[in-house]
Amino acid sequence: MAVLRVRDFDIHLGYFTGVDQRRLVDLLRACLVQAPLVRPVTPRGTPMSVRMSAAGQFGWVSDRAGYRYEPVHPSGQPWPAIPDMLINMWHDLVPDARSPECCLINWYDATAKMGMHQDKDEADLSQPVVSVSLGDEALFRMGNQTRGGKTESVWLRSGDVVVMAGAARTTHHGIDRVRAQSATLLPKGGRINLTLRVVT
Ligand code: MD6
Ligand code: FE
């Protein structure tokens, strides 16, 4: 399988086949029945454009009280288990890492985006983040350890998996835009991004 290396990010092109992607979407739908998507607000009260849920021991939550990992969904219910397909992918791609404790589920509609950021709310930044793209294509921008500077962008397609390890783990990155109706995986369109993380 082809691996594209851009600025320390390893992008595994087409890691999941079409059949696997459809199976994964079915498993995620079951997760979202137990832990429905919510639209988070930033600590300042601004609604984010993505909708979020999670699976695993922890989910990442943002509200007026701040950004943090929580062991339960805002409803008070525990998060569902991370599907085995994703656990197997994790151990295949990052065999030396600890087991993932969170699979963040982000749903992007055609207008959603994610500003440049670092993922730094986890206790052990030596552990990787692995990110799965499903559905519509998205323009993924990769920057630097500090804000600003030159960047490089790549269109992520359904089934692609990005490994953020080593220097890439703390590199700024974001999603500029989603290309509407560029995939048929999700009947109503949109994009699902899964990020698996070790939290503790
Ligand atoms: C992506 N996502 O959607 C990359 N980070 O391909 C992220 O970098 C990300 O979706 C933190 C929280 C949610 C995300
Ligand atoms: Fe991120």
Side-chain angles (χ1 to χ4, degrees), residues 1-2 11-18 20-21 157-161:
M1 190 195 317
I11 306 173
H12 297 258
L13 301 172
Y15 181 87
F16 286 112
T17 64
D20 284 346
Q21 292 170 42
R157 296 193 165 79
S158 194
D160 291 349
V161 177

Side-chain angles (χ1 to χ4, degrees), residues 50-62:
V50 299
R51 294 203 292 155
M52 286 190 183
S53 187
Q57 281 170 258
F58 298 97
W60 188 82
V61 171
S62 176

Side-chain angles (χ1 to χ4, degrees), residues 1-13 142 153-157 160-163:
M1 190 195 317
V3 184
L4 196 64
R5 195 173 173 85
V6 184
R7 300 204 164 198
D8 307 306
F9 292 78
D10 278 329
I11 306 173
H12 297 258
L13 301 172
M142 293 156 278
S153 298
V154 169
W155 280 98
L156 297 178
R157 296 193 165 79
D160 291 349
V161 177
V162 181
V163 174

Side-chain angles (χ1 to χ4, degrees), residues 114 117-119 129 164 173 195 197:
M114 168 101 34
H117 66 276
Q118 294 168 296
D119 290 85
V129 171
M164 308 187 207
H173 59 276
T195 47
R197 301 129 185 269

Side-chain angles (χ1 to χ4, degrees), residues 5 92 104 130 145 160 167:
R5 195 173 173 85
D92 178 35
L104 193 59
V130 177
Q145 297 297 323
D160 291 349

Side-chain angles (χ1 to χ4, degrees), residues 17-191:
T17 64
V19 168
D20 284 346
Q21 292 170 42
R22 285 187 284 278
R23 218 167 68 204
L24 200 43
V25 168
D26 286 342
L27 295 167
L28 293 168
R29 283 189 203 289
C31 287
L32 295 176
V33 170
Q34 185 175 334
L37 290 165
V38 298
R39 183 188 297 278
V41 297
T42 67
R44 303 177 67 163
T46 313
M48 295 175 68
S49 61
V50 299
R51 294 203 292 155
M52 286 190 183
S53 187
Q57 281 170 258
F58 298 97
W60 188 82
V61 171
S62 176
D63 58 24
R64 291 201 177 249
Y67 302 114
R68 65 200 178 275
Y69 281 99
E70 286 277 4
V72 293
H73 184 270
S75 67
Q77 291 293 114
W79 305 101
I82 300 175
D84 281 342
M85 272 180 85
L86 294 170
I87 302 279
N88 294 342
M89 168 204 74
W90 172 275
H91 291 303
D92 178 35
L93 292 178
V94 289
D96 297 330
R98 291 162 54 200
S99 292
E101 296 168 323
C102 169
C103 172
L104 193 59
I105 304 170
N106 290 281
W107 189 77
Y108 292 71
D109 68 17
T111 65
K113 54 193 181 211
M114 168 101 34
M116 293 294 277
H117 66 276
Q118 294 168 296
D119 290 85
K120 290 216 299 192
D121 292 327
E122 301 75 27
D124 183 355
L125 298 180
S126 76
Q127 296 298 310
V129 171
V130 177
S131 159
V132 179
S133 293
L134 294 168
D136 285 339
E137 295 167 14
L139 190 57
F140 181 59
R141 183 184 294 274
M142 293 156 278
N144 304 288
Q145 297 297 323
T146 52
R147 270 201 168 278
K150 288 191 178 171
T151 64
E152 284 177 78
S153 298
V154 169
W155 280 98
L156 297 178
R157 296 193 165 79
S158 194
D160 291 349
V161 177
V162 181
V163 174
M164 308 187 207
R169 179 66 180 78
T170 48
T171 297
H172 282 79
H173 59 276
I175 294 290
D176 283 355
R177 57 197 165 95
V178 171
R179 194 182 259 157
Q181 310 216 298
S182 52
T184 55
L185 181 68
L186 304 173
K188 293 176 190 160
R191 171 176 188 259

